[in-house]
Amino acid sequence: MSTMVQTDARPRLWFVGDLNGFFGLFTNVLLNVIVLTGLCLGVVQLPADTVFGRILPALGIALPLGNLFYAYLAWQLAKQEGRNDVTAMPYGPSVPHMFIVVFLIMLPTYLATKDPLVAWRAGLAWCFIIGVIVLIGAFVGPKIRALTPRAAMLGTLAGISIAFISMRPAFQMWEVPWIGLVCFALVLIAWTANIRLPGGIPGGLAAVIVGSVIGWIVSLVGWSDYMQPSAVAKSFEQFGLRIPIFSADVWQGLAQVAPLLVTAIPLGIYNFTEAMNNVESAAAAGDNYNLRKVLLADGVGAIVGSMLGSPFPPAVYIGHPGWKAVGGRIGYSLATGIAIAIVCFLGLTALLLALIPLVAILPILLYIGLVIGAQAFQVSPKNHAPAVVLALIPNIAEWAKTQIDGALAAAGTSAAQVGAAKLASTGVLYRGLESLGGGSVLAGMILGAIAVFIIDGRLKVAAFWAFAGAILAYVGLIHGAQLGWAVSPLVALGYALFGVTCLLLAVREPVALPRAASNA
C-alpha cells in the first residue's frame, strides 16, 4: 500500500500519488483503445471514418462519464468514512469483450454479408443487450456477492489477471526485451519498492518516456525497424475534432437480435460477475463500494455507448489495489477520463500508436496482473489457498484453448478438423480444455466456492454450490461453448453427483448458508 501519510482526513481531488495512478490507468485504457482501433480497422475492415468519426468519439463520451461517476462515488465514500485514502474504481473498455464482439459478432457478420457497416451495427446491438443484462444484474449481483466466499471471487479474478492480462504482455515484452525489460524495471522499482525516481517522475510515465527514447534511438541508428517515422506522418491524416452523435444504427442491429443473445446473455452475466469480483477486490483493499451502483453505471455506460456508436461495453476494471498501492486516489480517475476524451475526440490514437512503442506500455499491465494475482492469496484465509488455486484453473484453461485455436488457425486448420483424439495423442487435451474453460469466470467462482466450504468442513453448503454448478453447466453458462438446453449434460451430472457425495458424507453440519457481505 502507499506509504503516503496525510494529516488532513478531508477528501481531496488530487494527491501526489494521483499522478502515478493517472499515468498507469491512462496508459492502460489508451492501450486498449489503440487495440480496439486496430481490431476495427484490420479485422472487421471498418472504414476509418466510422472508427475515428463514430466509435472513438462515442467512447470519448461513455468513458469519461464513467470516470466522473466513480470519482464521485470515491468522494462520497471518503466523506462518509472521514478518510482521504479512498481510491476510485478504475474504468475503461472491457478487454475480454473487445475481442469477443470483434471475433464472435462483427467478424462473422462481416464475412457473411461482406458489409462492414452491417457488422458494426450488429456489434452495437450486442453491446446494447450486454448493457441491459448488466442493469438486471444490478438487482441480483449483490445477493450473489453475499453468498460467495472471498477466495472464490478473488481466485477467479486472479485467473483472469494471470491468463488474460499478464501473459500476453509478458510474451510481447520478451519479443522486444531491449525496451520491455528496461520499462519493466522502472515499473517494479517505482511501484513495488516505492523507490522515488529522479525528479519524482511517476513510474508509468518514466516507462513510457524511456521506452520511447530507446525505441526511437535504436530504430533511427538502423539497429532495428521497430519504430517507423513514416507511420508518424501518416497518423496526422486522422487528426481533427469529431463530435459523437446519437443515431438509429443500434436499432437496425437489434432487428437481428436472436443470434446475438447466444453470447450476450452469458457475457452479460460475465460482466456483472467480474464487476462483483472487482468490488470485492476493492473492499479487500479497504474501499467498500456499493455493488448495485457500480453495476448500474456499467450497464448505462454500455447502453449510452452503443447508442452513440461504440460496440465496446465499458466496465469497472480489474486493478483497484494496484492503483491504490501506487498512490492513486480520486483525481487519477478524473484525469484519465479527460485525457481519454481528448484522445478520442481529436483522433490522436493513431499518432500515439506511431510515437509510443507498444512494449513500453505493456509492463504496466503485467504489474497490475501481478498485484491482483497476489491479492487473492494475501487477503483470503491461508487455509483457503487451495480454493484460490482451483478458481484460477478455468481461466488458464480458456487461455490455453485460445492459444491452440490461434495456432491451428494460422496453420489453416482447426481443432474440429484435426480431431480431439489426434490432439490428445500428442498430449494436447483439447476436449478437456474446451469444457473446463467454458464460462471460465463463473466456473472459477463455483469451483472456488465448493473448495472453500469443503475446506471449512461445511459439506452441505458445498453441495448447494455443486448443484448450482450442475444447473449452470446444463444450460451452458459454464463448461459450454454456447447458451442452450442440455449443453453439457455429462458435466452437469458430474456436478450433481459431486453434490450428492458431499451430502452423503456430511456429518453434524449446520445447514446455514454463509453470512451476507456488508455493503452489498
Side-chain angles (χ1 to χ4, degrees), residues 16 19-20 23 195-203 205-206:
V16 174
L19 198 58
N20 266 331
F23 281 109
I195 294 176
R196 180 182 173 88
L197 298 180
I201 185 170
L205 178 60

Short mmCIF file of all heavy atoms in Angstrom, two decimals, residues 16 19-20 23 195-203 205-206:
data_model
loop_
_atom_site.label_atom_id
_atom_site.label_comp_id
_atom_site.label_asym_id
_atom_site.label_seq_id
_atom_site.Cartn_x
_atom_site.Cartn_y
_atom_site.Cartn_z
N VAL A 16 -0.39 13.74 -4.68
CA VAL A 16 0.79 13.50 -5.50
C VAL A 16 0.71 12.12 -6.16
O VAL A 16 1.05 11.94 -7.33
CB VAL A 16 2.07 13.62 -4.64
CG1 VAL A 16 3.29 13.22 -5.46
CG2 VAL A 16 2.23 15.05 -4.12
N LEU A 19 -0.78 11.26 -9.74
CA LEU A 19 -0.02 11.33 -10.98
C LEU A 19 0.44 9.93 -11.39
O LEU A 19 0.39 9.56 -12.57
CB LEU A 19 1.18 12.26 -10.80
CG LEU A 19 1.82 12.78 -12.10
CD1 LEU A 19 0.80 13.53 -12.93
CD2 LEU A 19 3.01 13.68 -11.77
N ASN A 20 0.89 9.14 -10.41
CA ASN A 20 1.23 7.75 -10.68
C ASN A 20 0.02 6.99 -11.21
O ASN A 20 0.09 6.27 -12.20
CB ASN A 20 1.72 7.07 -9.39
CG ASN A 20 3.22 7.11 -9.25
OD1 ASN A 20 3.94 7.13 -10.24
ND2 ASN A 20 3.69 7.13 -8.03
N PHE A 23 -0.99 8.09 -14.90
CA PHE A 23 -0.18 7.56 -16.00
C PHE A 23 -0.34 6.05 -16.13
O PHE A 23 -0.28 5.51 -17.23
CB PHE A 23 1.29 7.95 -15.81
CG PHE A 23 1.57 9.37 -16.22
CD1 PHE A 23 1.86 10.33 -15.26
CD2 PHE A 23 1.52 9.75 -17.55
CE1 PHE A 23 2.09 11.64 -15.63
CE2 PHE A 23 1.76 11.06 -17.92
CZ PHE A 23 2.06 12.01 -16.95
N ILE A 195 10.27 3.16 -4.53
CA ILE A 195 11.50 3.96 -4.60
C ILE A 195 11.26 5.16 -5.51
O ILE A 195 10.78 5.01 -6.65
CB ILE A 195 12.67 3.10 -5.13
CG1 ILE A 195 13.01 1.99 -4.11
CG2 ILE A 195 13.90 3.96 -5.43
CD1 ILE A 195 14.07 1.04 -4.58
N ARG A 196 11.58 6.33 -5.02
CA ARG A 196 11.35 7.57 -5.77
C ARG A 196 12.33 7.65 -6.94
O ARG A 196 13.55 7.55 -6.76
CB ARG A 196 11.53 8.77 -4.84
CG ARG A 196 11.32 10.12 -5.51
CD ARG A 196 11.58 11.24 -4.48
NE ARG A 196 11.55 12.56 -5.09
CZ ARG A 196 10.45 13.29 -5.25
NH1 ARG A 196 9.29 12.82 -4.84
NH2 ARG A 196 10.51 14.49 -5.81
N LEU A 197 11.80 7.87 -8.14
CA LEU A 197 12.64 8.02 -9.32
C LEU A 197 13.19 9.44 -9.39
O LEU A 197 12.64 10.36 -8.77
CB LEU A 197 11.83 7.69 -10.57
CG LEU A 197 11.29 6.25 -10.68
CD1 LEU A 197 10.52 6.07 -11.98
CD2 LEU A 197 12.41 5.23 -10.58
N PRO A 198 14.27 9.66 -10.12
CA PRO A 198 14.85 11.02 -10.23
C PRO A 198 13.81 12.03 -10.67
O PRO A 198 13.04 11.80 -11.62
CB PRO A 198 15.94 10.84 -11.30
CG PRO A 198 16.34 9.40 -11.18
CD PRO A 198 15.07 8.66 -10.84
N GLY A 199 13.78 13.16 -9.95
CA GLY A 199 12.82 14.21 -10.26
C GLY A 199 11.41 13.91 -9.84
O GLY A 199 10.49 14.68 -10.12
N GLY A 200 11.20 12.79 -9.14
CA GLY A 200 9.86 12.42 -8.71
C GLY A 200 8.96 12.00 -9.84
O GLY A 200 7.72 11.96 -9.68
N ILE A 201 9.51 11.64 -11.01
CA ILE A 201 8.70 11.27 -12.16
C ILE A 201 7.95 9.97 -11.86
O ILE A 201 8.52 9.03 -11.31
CB ILE A 201 9.58 11.12 -13.41
CG1 ILE A 201 8.71 10.84 -14.65
CG2 ILE A 201 10.62 10.03 -13.23
CD1 ILE A 201 9.49 10.91 -15.94
N PRO A 202 6.65 9.90 -12.18
CA PRO A 202 5.87 8.68 -11.93
C PRO A 202 6.44 7.49 -12.71
O PRO A 202 6.95 7.65 -13.83
CB PRO A 202 4.47 9.04 -12.42
CG PRO A 202 4.42 10.52 -12.42
CD PRO A 202 5.81 10.98 -12.72
N GLY A 203 6.32 6.30 -12.11
CA GLY A 203 6.87 5.10 -12.74
C GLY A 203 6.29 4.81 -14.11
O GLY A 203 7.03 4.45 -15.04
N LEU A 205 4.91 6.97 -16.27
CA LEU A 205 5.38 7.97 -17.23
C LEU A 205 6.85 7.71 -17.59
O LEU A 205 7.25 7.81 -18.76
CB LEU A 205 5.22 9.37 -16.66
CG LEU A 205 5.73 10.51 -17.53
CD1 LEU A 205 5.01 10.54 -18.87
CD2 LEU A 205 5.58 11.85 -16.81
N ALA A 206 7.65 7.36 -16.57
CA ALA A 206 9.06 7.07 -16.83
C ALA A 206 9.21 5.91 -17.81
O ALA A 206 10.05 5.94 -18.72
CB ALA A 206 9.78 6.76 -15.51
#
